[in-house]
Amino acid sequence: MAEKVRDYPKLAKDILEAVGGEENVIGVSRCATRLRLVLKRSQSKAKEKVSAMPGVITVVENSGQFQVVIGQHVGEVYEAFTNLVNLDLSDSQSENKGTVLNRVIATMSAVFAPFVYILAAAGILQGSLILLNLLFDDFGATGTYEVLSFISWAPFTFLPIFIAITASKHFKTNTYIAVACCAALVSPTWAEIAAQIADGHTITFLGIALSETVYTSSVLPPLFLVWILSYLEKFLNKNMNEIVRPLFVPFLCMLLMVPLTILLIGPVTTMGANGIANGYNFLADYAPALAGAIIGAFWQVLVIFGVHWGITPMVLANFELYGQDSFQAYQTIAVIAQVGAVLGVIIKAKSQETRKVGVSAGVTGLFGITEPAIYGITLRFKKPFIFGCISGAIGAIVASFFKPYYFAYAGLPGPLTIVNAIDADYPTSIWGILIGVAIAIILPVVLIQIFGYGEDTAKQAGNNSLVNEQGQSGKGLSTDTTTNEEAVTSPLNGTVIPLSDVRDEVFSSGAMGEGLAIEPSDNTLYAPFDGTVVMLAPTKHAVGLRSDSGVELLVHIGLDTVTLDGSPFTLKIKEGDEVKKGDVILTFDKKAIHQQGLETITPIIITNKDAYEEILIEELKDATLKDTLFTVIK
């Protein structure tokens, strides 16, 4: 069994402590890449603390949520986090005081994120069936096709049941009662009744005429049902005798909520979802280029702030009403444009570490997940993100002239779901999307090769690249052509410790780079060479330096000292300052650090080791400011 690359329970615990502890957490949910927390009160510097934690890509505060972007291991962190908190809070604690819009977006995220991969898998299966029908004329008439087809449609047919499960957890109501109510909505018997009504028959409930609305694949009716159910169940539990409560609470909930939904909630919310969908469709039909430009340019901006889930009901309403949707067609182009921007950086970058991050982010982008690409590469360097948005807009505008549509829902639109655009009645659809996708891939690559990809804006310890690789600040990686090696002297006085002996896996494993550690004998950190201060951690415990010839050095004072919020450290410089060898960088209070139960062992790491042929580490027991720690050979 593969070992975990990080201690996820520890990361969950550290995040919980940074945001103010269990008593400050109102709610927790997750999506494909983010741990989403709703907090009573925002905590000073919580964003900086969590962003600096190993395993965290970045933190976004938006839509009433504290969103911790973790990536593919968010599931492990979420599971560990939920084991640390008790979410059965009182009403006064659990009420989200954010705006109505923030609460709507938070709800959509909490409801859809847990099963989005199920919908994505079903969408890929539908796309595969489209391809098989193209390749084999008689395949659609086989029993194999029929079985695979109903498998692919099952998650959408019974979508209200998925919503019942996740919404009941979000609204803190009984999951089994919610499932029972929503299962009634997708009952075949109700579908038969609705069909009779659609044929002109009048069917009443307690004298009230029923509508022909059906609820398979619906979103808002089950969502509103569970929301109102949460209040009804609380009322009944509070006012009913505990002896009869276990039986009569579910009895009354089903008896009241199902008829209320088919009489009022369902028709009204379905009308609302259809109205929004028709509004978008009006724009897409009469100004398709404008619709494409907006979605192609700004879809990834919505992803940054985590508000993209709010569009799901409209898209699903389009598939339910018309069996097709153009929004996801343009959305796919926007997603692929960010993958193209990552590809441009991979081609342009000199740093092997940047290329590695780019390849990893690009692979996840192939599956329609762009957060690693955005936070790891495109937004980090700024220019690639802008080029990606521009390319997405242009690609979508061009595609709009071909009437592009998706004919099967894609949970995560991206390269693997392009086949969802194939339909014999709309032969130009797939060609429009393919042309748009080609533009989305090629254009950002070209723009990045011409204009570069900008400066690295990462400001936290732990980034693989701490400096601008293209030398746009006026200093390139190496301007010294007279020698092929450089000596780096010690920035501290103290006892030398092999990096492998440091009790922190991030450093001891060599993941950050090559180097060693020093147990300081005094309280001062000095510049080990002439160069520039390229990074200062907000908590002052870590410094990134770059020598005039391009050596990138990370000095991390102590272990876990990020938790001290900068109190034992006094900076003598600021970010961007030029320093001379021997200049005082900062001072620190060893005694204060030890009193907090923390170590002052200081890892000293060369973070751009791939820029050099070899790094020679001197064998020393003790180091002074005159001693050479490393010799880098170009």
Side-chain angles (χ1 to χ4, degrees), residues 181 205 232 248-260:
C181 292
F205 178 80
L232 175 61
F248 281 93
V249 167
F251 168 73
L252 291 174
C253 284
M254 289 189 291
L255 185 64
L256 294 172
M257 288 309 307
V258 176
L260 180 63

Side-chain angles (χ1 to χ4, degrees), residues 136-154:
F136 306 100
D137 292 338
D138 298 330
F139 180 70
T142 65
T144 302
Y145 172 83
E146 292 295 333
V147 171
L148 294 177
S149 180
F150 83 70
I151 291 173
S152 72
W153 281 107

